[in-house]
Amino acid sequence: ETGVTQSPTHLIKTRGQQVTLRCSSQSGHNTVSWYQQALGQGPQFIFQYYREEENGRGNFPPRFSGLQFPNYSSELNVNALELDDSALYLCASSLGGTIAYEQYFGPGTRLTVT
Amino acid sequence: DQQVKQNSPSLSVQEGRISILNCDYTNSMFDYFLWYKKYPAEGPTFLISISSIKDKNEDGRFTVFLNKSAKHLSLHIVPSQPGDSAVYFCAASARGQGAQKLVFGQGTRLTINP
């Protein structure tokens, strides 16, 4: 069984630039969620994709957007980067539906905005 | 608005003793609770969960207790081992709100001393 993978591991961007982060879900999972973890905080929900459709969104501005592909892998795009976007971005996969299932996380992408 | 709170940023326990990590929540709509463990440079790893219809769930050395009237849950680790040293996050979810959004606490850093 293949676990959740994310790329790249680390990334440094300049304020105002755009970034794309990638996630491959665990085999058999059709739902991908993205979280932002700032230093010293718990992960915060950005949005979730279920069968290629956005299935819910947290309190993040529209410059945070995403995609899910037919193979259930996913991308997180952030436009017009701000210094406060510096964080660990975590992707989690799970089985879909309205009942909460355990979400399995990837190792994360550390984004630094300078 | 911190709906899930872990009020102890850190906890130090002797090897072989019991570790008790606590978590409080404010949203009465939460009906599913999870604990995750996180090592440095890795994503959170699912540990154990509990549905709101139960008050206890056990898995080996790990037991989660839920007190719905107090809106409090705790994770007991017995006996504690050096490999348990990590940051522990509690998370909560509400059924029927579309996305399987997890709301995380800030985390508690557990250190097991030999």
Side-chain angles (χ1 to χ4, degrees):
Chain A
E1 189 176 82
T2 308
V4 180
T5 60
Q6 292 185 244
S7 62
T9 307
H10 295 89
L11 204 50
I12 300 174
K13 289 286 190 177
T14 303
R15 193 171 49 182
Q17 285 188 316
Q18 178 265 344
V19 69
T20 297
L21 310 182
R22 293 179 176 83
C23 171
S24 291
S25 59
Q26 184 165 307
S27 175
H29 286 178
N30 57 12
T31 301
V32 173
S33 304
W34 286 92
Y35 292 82
Q36 180 195 66
Q37 186 181 9
L39 204 60
Q41 301 296 316
Q44 282 206 333
F45 178 76
I46 303 174
F47 45 56
Q48 182 180 90
Y49 280 82
Y50 170 60
R51 293 184 176 175
E52 302 178 58
E53 297 283 333
E54 187 179 290
N55 188 38
R57 189 177 183 93
N59 190 24
F60 281 81
R63 58 189 185 84
F64 285 78
S65 63
L67 278 175
Q68 188 180 31
F69 300 100
N71 66 354
Y72 302 130
S73 65
S74 177
E75 284 183 356
L76 163 66
N77 298 291
V78 187
N79 292 324
L81 283 166
E82 300 177 1
L83 296 178
D84 283 349
D85 296 334
S86 295
L88 180 68
Y89 288 84
L90 295 162
C91 159
S93 76
S94 57
L95 289 170
T98 56
I99 299 174
Y101 287 93
E102 295 83 16
Q103 296 183 13
Y104 294 85
F105 285 82
T109 294
R110 172 74 61 188
L111 173 64
T112 303
V113 182
T114 61
Chain B
D1 177 25
Q2 191 74 30
Q3 297 185 65
V4 177
K5 292 184 184 180
Q6 294 175 256
N7 291 318
S8 299
S10 62
L11 177 67
S12 188
V13 173
Q14 202 75 19
E15 182 179 357
R17 299 286 190 107
I18 183 171
S19 295
I20 300 176
L21 294 97
N22 293 303
C23 179
D24 297 297
Y25 62 96
T26 57
N27 189 342
S28 56
M29 297 298 291
F30 288 147
D31 58 4
Y32 196 70
F33 303 90
L34 308 90
W35 284 93
Y36 284 84
K37 177 169 76 172
K38 188 179 186 301
Y39 294 119
E42 294 182 14
T45 303
F46 169 72
L47 204 52
I48 192 169
S49 63
I50 187 167
S51 163
S52 60
I53 62 173
K54 296 186 175 182
D55 53 20
K56 177 182 173 182
N57 188 27
E58 217 169 330
D59 184 2
R61 296 186 298 114
F62 302 91
T63 303
V64 56
F65 295 92
L66 176 62
N67 182 336
K68 287 189 291 294
S69 60
K71 294 193 176 69
H72 177 84
L73 65 154
S74 60
L75 174 68
H76 292 210
I77 306 173
V78 182
S80 299
Q81 299 174 354
D84 296 329
S85 294
V87 177
Y88 288 78
F89 292 99
C90 75
S93 182
R95 183 185 303 240
Q97 292 196 353
Q100 300 164 9
K101 167 185 172 181
L102 293 180
V103 181
F104 284 84
Q106 308 95 308
T108 296
R109 181 176 301 278
L110 175 65
T111 303
I112 306 300
N113 301 307

